[in-house]
Amino acid sequence: MRNHHTDTVLVVLDGSLRSHAIVDQVLQSGRNVAVTGRRQHDLVPFVNAEVHDRILAIVADPAESAQIDAVIERAGDVMGPVVMIVDPGGLLGDVASADRKVA
């Protein structure tokens, strides 16, 4: 069962070790994590039985604001309110629009 009683952080994956470390840090903080990226391959490491109830992986193009809006909405519905977006690779196409969607 998903943990609906905590905040969710959306991490935009860029395939780097840094983005993976950020996801680990967020999970260790007790928050839920939604991860998104252009390629399914980047998301596979996070489909993990140990954290399956605290992480949501969604393939989306971060450069497309409508896709990121849908990710934020879905993550909020499934995991709890998205309170922060972390984009270590600077892949978001419209940062201001995405920021307006978070709690």
Side-chain angles (χ1 to χ4, degrees):
M1 175 178 264
R2 300 275 185 192
N3 182 353
H4 293 282
H5 304 290
T6 189
D7 297 333
T8 301
V9 175
L10 172 61
V11 179
V12 179
L13 298 176
D14 61 1
S16 71
L17 293 176
R18 182 176 179 215
S19 62
H20 285 242
I22 291 168
V23 172
D24 290 339
Q25 290 172 347
V26 173
L27 287 170
Q28 289 175 15
S29 78
R31 289 183 169 86
N32 292 330
V33 180
V35 293
T36 192
R38 288 184 181 117
R39 302 177 310 166
Q40 184 177 5
H41 171 75
D42 292 335
L43 305 179
V44 169
F46 300 103
V47 182
N48 180 330
E50 293 178 20
V51 293
H52 75 280
D53 61 335
R54 299 193 42 229
I55 196 158
L56 177 67
I58 302 172
V59 175
D61 183 351
E64 296 293 329
S65 61
Q67 289 186 35
I68 293 302
D69 290 351
V71 169
I72 293 168
E73 183 176 339
R74 177 73 177 145
D77 290 347
V78 174
M79 304 296 291
V82 176
V83 297
M84 181 186 303
I85 300 171
V86 181
D87 180 20
L91 301 176
L92 285 175
D94 188 349
V95 175
S97 174
D99 281 346
R100 286 191 296 272
K101 302 288 184 196
V102 298

